[in-house]
Amino acid sequence: MIYITADTHREWDIHKINPNEFIAGNSLTRNDYLIICGDFGCIWDDGNGDRFWLNWLESLPWNTLFVDGNHENFDALNKYPVVDWNGGKVHQIRSNIFHLMRGEIYTIDGKKYLAFGGGYSHDYTMRKEHETWWKDEMPTDKDVSNLWHNLKKNGHKVDYILSHDIYTSHSKANTYDIDMNHYGKQYINVQTVLEKIANKVEYTCWFNGHYHADCVEYRNEKPCVTLFDKVLNLNDLENEIKAVQK
């Protein structure tokens, strides 16, 4: 079984994957997966707070996978070892917790997943660099090169796309004005990268977070499911999309 949600934000919104609330989680095993579309948040202070939440997550019966959002401590995240996992590179956080790295493609239960995290912090002026805000929330030239290298190897075709932010032609993409001036020259607006992916990659369904909403929008008849409160059962995707649309 595979479930997908977004924006757990450590203690703020992680309750939705607590088995007391996420009842289906009680029957999951190490053969099952829960995917978080960014703002995982459990790698944030690089200290006791992170250890508490990572210990708790590791105690849960499933595998937790996440793409990065904008609310991650990238200095701490990049300390974790990079290993090969299901066809792509991951940061291994714990025995059953993995960071799905940008531009990597993974095969899970026979389906291919493209991961490309990152997002824009519209409140960056209220944050402090390397304490509560990191430029690495935006992708670099290296991330984008890795993306197209891996897509070429896979014939520019995957089953699912996992991101935090969304492509520029999506209606929610203009929610915040994005100012790239405070990033270095090697950084690229993640929305423009995602737009190129949407234009050039064959896929079945796209999942994202970032906008604290549960909704569905279509692009060329392909659904893009934005998640926040909902923990979606991928194995029942058609009915789950109908439920989100209500």
Side-chain angles (χ1 to χ4, degrees), residues 81-210:
V82 175
V83 301
D84 293 318
W85 183 85
N86 285 30
K89 302 289 186 183
V90 297
H91 283 116
Q92 181 160 10
I93 311 302
R94 291 292 180 85
S95 63
N96 61 335
I97 306 173
F98 302 92
H99 168 226
L100 306 180
M101 298 175 70
R102 295 176 188 170
E104 294 293 315
I105 296 173
Y106 310 93
T107 301
I108 306 172
D109 288 354
K111 300 293 186 180
K112 289 188 177 182
Y113 294 73
L114 168 64
F116 203 87
Y120 179 73
S121 292
H122 66 281
D123 59 350
Y124 75 94
T125 57
M126 302 170 61
R127 298 175 178 273
K128 186 174 181 180
E129 188 170 4
H130 296 295
E131 290 187 14
T132 55
W133 177 75
W134 291 264
K135 291 179 181 178
D136 286 343
E137 68 185 17
M138 284 292 184
T140 63
D141 295 333
K142 184 178 179 180
D143 295 328
V144 175
S145 294
N146 183 58
L147 164 72
W148 295 115
H149 172 74
N150 288 328
L151 279 169
K152 184 177 181 180
K153 290 194 300 182
N154 285 270
H156 293 85
K157 182 178 180 180
V158 296
D159 294 289
Y160 303 110
I161 297 175
L162 307 168
S163 66
H164 182 58
D165 208 337
I166 196 55
Y167 44 81
T168 54
S169 58
H170 192 285
S171 65
K172 288 193 174 296
N174 61 4
T175 302
Y176 311 115
D177 292 329
I178 295 180
D179 178 8
M180 293 297 296
N181 289 326
H182 54 281
Y183 299 93
K185 291 182 178 180
Q186 74 270 32
Y187 292 97
I188 302 169
N189 184 340
V190 65
Q191 290 185 353
T192 63
V193 178
L194 297 174
E195 181 70 19
K196 290 179 181 178
I197 293 172
N199 287 330
K200 296 182 178 182
V201 177
E202 183 179 344
Y203 65 94
T204 300
C205 189
W206 191 307
F207 299 96
N208 73 289
H210 194 44

